[in-house]
């Protein structure tokens, strides 16, 4: 049955307390979410962002407290980020959130519906400087809501997938933290100095031309695809020019490799390719060739000090660029023999990380298919 959002819930706008008043903000106060907090945020629920606000800050702004299970939907900069409130919280003015009427729509169902409504919301947005979905537009946004039993069935399909994805992410976060801390403890040695190319070397990917891109063809990894220490397989660019692909064979990958961003604002971010991936690496994405195995490569690149040093080597006025030569010649404080031992001892953990990434890619694809099927 067709409803306007205002008919199945209350639309809530947010607000920002004055930043001139430090007492309007708190270290452990009321959760206050901005669209930026949902950038690269992949969990269903959220309770706190980068900053909390105080009770006095709430009372002296247009921010409003929303109950748990409210649906947060960013309405500008950018449009269409979605999360559920894990506990009572507030947002800034970049949201038009929904407190659902549970007699008509279950919160989980509304969450998935709005998650799959990004493109529709973008179409109804207006504004000359930047696009925004107004409160009136959100209130009149039309959605299709089935009977409660059908909602429960759809939720029963999607919730286990989302929970498993989040569990795998948590396991990987823990494993990566273990790999990082153990490498720091047993391999980093300030009395040792070696060029990083004793452990791995980097080469920039293939320079595909603008007319090489097509709707179908072989997958190509660009910088935009590197996120959260992995490579997203959603919305990959494609090339079907056989001649160009033959030239790019050196940059053909089959999964399990590590790549690094060599340019732009996200310079130095890394991504592990899931095992189920086959494709090519685009220019300015550095393909890493290990001298031992990718376990040691990951151990090196998880070190904050080493990553910061890599980033500092970037140059360029418009945007920073990191040359493979600069990376390969960079000196690091690493005990090479200890690194070899680490490589052997922790290879099984790296394989587990890859396995979880692979499973998540499969689950994410299934989740997207179900969202397209039912919403």
């Amino acid at each position: 049955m067709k409803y306007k959002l205002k008919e199945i819930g209350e639309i809530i706008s947010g607000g920002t307390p004055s930043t001139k008043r430090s007492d309007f903000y708190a270290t452990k106060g009321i959760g206050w979410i901005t669209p930026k907090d949902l950038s690269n945020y992949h969990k269903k629920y959220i309770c706190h962002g980068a900053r909390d606000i105080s009770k006095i800050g709430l009372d002296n702004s247009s921010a409003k407290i929303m109950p748990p299970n409210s649906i947060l939907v960013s309405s500008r900069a950018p449009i269409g980020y979605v999360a559920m409130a894990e506990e009572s919280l507030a947002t800034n003015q970049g949201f038009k959130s929904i407190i659902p009427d549970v007699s008509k729509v279950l919160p989980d169902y509304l969450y998935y519906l709005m998650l799959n409504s990004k493109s529709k919301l973008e179409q109804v947005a207006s504004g000359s400087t930047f696009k925004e979905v107004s409160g009136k537009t959100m209130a009149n946004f039309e959605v299709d809501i089935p009977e409660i039993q059908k909602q429960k069935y759809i939720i029963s399909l999607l919730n286990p997938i989302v929970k498993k994805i989040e569990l795998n992410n948590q396991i990987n976060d823990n494993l990566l933290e273990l790999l990082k801390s153990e490498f720091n403890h047993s391999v980093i040695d300030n009395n040792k100095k070696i060029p990083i190319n004793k452990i791995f070397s980097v080469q920039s990917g293939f320079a595909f031309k603008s007319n090489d891109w097509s709707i179908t063809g072989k997958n190509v990894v660009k910088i935009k695809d590197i996120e959260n220490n992995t490579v997203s397989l959603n919305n990959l660019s494609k090339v079907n020019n056989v001649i160009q692909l033959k030239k790019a064979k050196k940059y053909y990958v089959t999964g399990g490799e590590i790549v690094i961003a060599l340019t732009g604002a996200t310079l130095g971010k890394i991504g592990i390719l899931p095992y189920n991936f086959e494709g090519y690496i685009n220019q300015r994405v550095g393909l890493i060739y290990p001298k031992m195995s990718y376990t040691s490569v990951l151990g090196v690149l998880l070190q904050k000090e080493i990553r910061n040093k890599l980033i500092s080597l970037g140059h360029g006025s418009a945007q920073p660029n990191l040359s493979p030569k600069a990376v390969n010649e960079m000196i690091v404080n690493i005990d090479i023999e200890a690194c070899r031992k680490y490589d052997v001892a922790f290879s099984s953990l790296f394989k587990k990380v890859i396995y979880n990434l692979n499973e998540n890619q499969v689950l994410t694809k299934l989740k997207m298919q179900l969202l397209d099927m039912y919403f």
Side-chain angles (χ1 to χ4, degrees):
M1 185 173 178
K2 297 288 185 182
Y3 288 95
K4 293 178 179 179
L5 281 179
K6 65 182 179 182
E7 297 172 330
I8 59 169
E10 182 182 0
I11 311 301
I12 303 292
S13 297
T16 299
S18 172
T19 55
K20 296 179 180 179
R21 291 279 299 270
S22 60
D23 59 327
F24 283 2
Y25 294 84
T27 303
K28 292 184 179 179
I30 299 165
W32 181 69
I33 313 301
T34 71
K36 186 178 179 181
D37 293 319
L38 296 186
S39 175
N40 292 321
Y41 188 84
H42 298 287
K43 293 182 180 180
K44 182 178 179 181
Y45 286 94
I46 192 168
C47 54
H48 291 276
R51 304 176 75 183
D52 283 0
I53 60 174
S54 63
K55 179 65 166 61
I56 189 173
L58 178 73
D59 293 340
N60 285 275
S61 73
S62 55
K64 301 177 181 67
I65 287 288
M66 291 176 289
N69 291 326
S70 296
I71 313 303
L72 316 184
V73 184
S74 67
S75 54
R76 66 180 188 185
I79 294 167
Y81 284 163
V82 181
M84 286 182 72
E86 188 171 8
E87 56 188 47
S88 296
L89 51 71
T91 72
N92 77 349
Q93 60 272 25
F95 287 87
K96 298 296 182 290
S97 301
I98 312 159
I99 302 175
D101 177 350
V102 295
S103 68
K104 296 177 180 177
V105 62
L106 300 176
D108 289 78
Y109 183 87
L110 187 56
Y111 165 79
Y112 291 122
L113 187 154
M114 298 312 297
L115 193 66
N116 210 44
S117 297
K118 178 179 172 66
S119 61
K120 293 178 182 178
L121 287 172
E122 289 173 336
Q123 289 171 15
V124 298
S126 59
S128 55
T129 305
F130 57 82
K131 296 290 186 181
E132 180 175 6
V133 179
S134 69
K136 182 179 179 180
T137 299
M138 181 66 86
N140 290 300
F141 187 74
E142 195 171 73
V143 293
D144 193 7
I145 306 295
E147 60 180 11
I148 294 293
Q149 281 304 116
K150 181 68 177 291
Q151 292 180 44
K152 288 180 178 179
Y153 171 72
I154 295 169
I155 291 167
S156 73
L157 296 177
L158 284 163
N159 272 355
I161 295 172
V162 170
K163 287 179 180 178
K164 179 58 175 170
I165 290 172
E166 292 190 2
L167 175 61
N168 283 346
N169 285 336
Q170 184 60 59
I171 290 171
N172 273 3
D173 287 345
N174 293 339
L175 292 177
L176 291 174
E177 183 58 36
L178 176 59
L179 287 166
K180 180 177 74 172
S181 60
E182 182 57 30
F183 192 93
N184 182 271
H185 174 73
S186 62
V187 181
I188 296 294
D189 185 342
N190 290 330
N191 295 315
K192 306 282 187 178
K193 292 185 177 181
I194 62 168
I196 211 168
N197 62 18
K198 293 288 185 181
I199 301 169
F200 65 82
S201 62
V202 177
Q203 290 191 25
S204 185
F206 186 77
F208 289 103
K209 299 176 182 177
S210 58
N211 59 0
D212 290 332
W213 306 112
S214 61
I215 298 174
T216 61
K218 299 296 183 180
N219 293 318
V220 179
V221 174
K222 293 183 175 181
I223 287 177
K224 68 177 179 61
D225 304 311
I226 306 174
E227 56 181 41
N228 298 319
N229 293 322
T230 187
V231 174
S232 173
L233 304 188
N234 300 320
N235 303 314
L236 288 168
S237 299
K238 298 181 184 297
V239 170
N240 63 10
N241 185 321
V242 177
I243 295 175
Q244 287 292 81
L245 290 173
K246 188 174 181 180
K247 292 178 182 177
K249 65 180 181 180
K250 183 178 179 180
Y251 306 101
Y252 178 75
V253 290
T254 57
E257 298 89 353
I258 297 178
V259 293
I260 183 170
L262 296 176
T263 193
T266 54
L267 181 77
K269 69 177 178 178
I270 62 171
I272 307 168
L273 283 158
Y275 279 138
N276 62 330
F277 178 80
E278 289 187 21
Y280 296 81
I281 304 300
N282 193 42
Q283 63 179 338
R284 307 312 304 155
V285 175
L287 179 57
I288 293 175
Y289 296 86
K291 299 295 175 67
M292 296 178 218
S293 82
Y294 281 111
T295 307
S296 292
V297 172
L298 189 59
V300 172
L301 294 176
L302 287 174
Q303 303 305 310
K304 185 176 181 180
E305 186 175 325
I306 292 176
R307 288 277 287 278
N308 287 342
K309 190 174 180 180
L310 278 171
I311 292 169
S312 72
L313 295 174
H315 58 85
S317 55
Q319 62 178 0
N321 291 286
L322 183 60
S323 74
K325 184 175 184 292
V327 176
N328 297 335
E329 294 177 352
M330 191 179 86
I331 301 299
V332 290
N333 301 118
I334 287 176
D335 183 329
I336 194 69
E337 291 305 318
C339 191
R340 290 192 177 96
K341 292 177 182 177
Y342 172 93
D343 199 62
V344 173
F346 290 92
S347 62
S348 61
L349 292 191
F350 179 73
K351 290 177 182 177
K352 177 60 176 174
V353 169
I354 297 276
Y355 176 83
N356 288 340
L357 290 174
N358 179 67
E359 185 174 45
N360 273 7
Q361 294 287 0
V362 173
L363 290 172
T364 299
K365 184 176 181 180
L366 177 58
K367 171 187 162 186
M368 299 307 296
Q369 289 172 339
L370 290 171
L371 287 173
D372 288 341
M373 183 184 302
Y374 288 107
F375 299 95

